[in-house]
Amino acid sequence: MAANRTDSFGTALARVWGRGGVAGYYQGLIPWAWIEASTKGAVLLFVASEAEYYAKAAGASDFIGGISGGMAGGVAQAYATMGFCTCMKTVEITKHKLAASGVKPPGTFATFMDIYRKEGIRGINRGVNAVAIRQTTNWGSRFGLSRLAEQGIRKVTGKEDGQRLGNFEKILASGLGGGLSAWNQPIEVIRVEMQSKTDDPNRPKNLTVGKTLRYIYSTTGIKGLYRGVAPRIGLGVWQTICMVAFGDLAKEYVEKITGDKVTAKH
């Protein structure tokens, strides 16, 4: 929906289904989504936990600590792996138009190497700055708003003295934080447009974040910048529950089996 901004949700579902049925919904999964997902733990969660710990050690509140950790983790993952992963996922999804014209599109790695030969590192990382903005606002919001929701739950339940929140309470807080973090959907729409391989003679060459924003706004208005926000709210809820609530639970589990004290724990 971010790439085809005139589509309704139903039209988008039908469009994806038309790219190969169930398999159409998993385009770009291997290896790009696998790399992206694995580095959420290996890079994003690790950096976010460290940054959140040091922010709180310096006197920051849970809310500010969460924002600081999420922003640092998001930026680290964006420049480490997210640039080329999201670029290649978008290429995989948008190059189906080549197949629709009767031309067999090249395979995943052939496409990757072709872009690398023609445009080098910058080509496979096209849109990485938009990705970095998305990731830092994504995870800054998701961690920060989740911690803020946890504070609210503590006040309601009378656990303001540091008592442990229940598993359901942590999941609820993370779900709220993840859903509210979709406010930055325009950045995601800009990222998709910058990385899209669809030919459009009206689209400016050498896109920057600013040029892409103006192009999208001029063609589809403010609504175009928020296309696809509903499914992204669902994605935000799910990812935040996995990374924040389950991440905290995983830290507790590691603490139990190793006997070591986990620093950035809630």
Side-chain angles (χ1 to χ4, degrees), residues 160-183:
E160 295 184 75
D161 296 326
Q163 297 99 316
R164 181 187 181 281
L165 291 178
N167 294 350
F168 175 76
E169 291 168 332
K170 295 196 73 67
I171 290 170
L172 176 61
S174 295
L176 290 170
L180 292 171
S181 70
W183 64 268

Side-chain angles (χ1 to χ4, degrees), residues 231-242:
R232 190 150 176 271
I233 288 172
L235 176 67
V237 169
W238 168 244
Q239 288 190 335
T240 309
I241 288 172
C242 287

Side-chain angles (χ1 to χ4, degrees), residues 51-197:
E52 185 175 9
Y53 166 71
Y54 283 110
K56 292 188 67 178
S61 66
D62 285 352
F63 176 53
I64 298 301
I67 289 177
S68 302
M71 291 179 70
V75 169
Q77 190 203 15
Y79 285 109
T81 59
M82 283 288 288
F84 71 85
C85 285
T86 56
C87 180
M88 293 310 300
K89 282 199 300 179
T90 304
V91 167
E92 287 290 308
I93 291 167
T94 57
K95 75 180 183 181
H96 74 281
K97 293 190 176 181
L98 187 64
S101 65
V103 179
K104 183 180 179 181
T108 296
F109 287 104
T111 303
F112 179 86
M113 292 307 301
D114 184 55
I115 295 172
Y116 181 76
R117 280 190 293 268
K118 290 179 179 177
E119 305 176 56
I121 293 293
R122 293 186 66 179
I124 59 174
N125 279 284
R126 177 174 284 113
V128 69
N129 290 333
V131 173
I133 295 169
R134 184 197 76 171
Q135 286 297 92
T136 193
T137 53
N138 260 4
W139 291 104
S141 297
R142 289 172 180 175
F143 275 89
L145 292 172
S146 295
R147 300 310 185 204
L148 189 63
E150 287 177 6
Q151 289 177 349
I153 291 172
R154 287 184 184 280
K155 288 181 180 179
V156 171
T157 59
K159 296 180 179 179
E160 295 184 75
D161 296 326
Q163 297 99 316
R164 181 187 181 281
L165 291 178
N167 294 350
F168 175 76
E169 291 168 332
K170 295 196 73 67
I171 290 170
L172 176 61
S174 295
L176 290 170
L180 292 171
S181 70
W183 64 268
N184 70 346
Q185 178 66 5
I187 300 169
E188 172 68 353
V189 175
I190 290 168
R191 191 276 303 173
V192 169
E193 188 63 42
M194 290 182 72
Q195 295 178 337
S196 173
K197 288 297 179 183

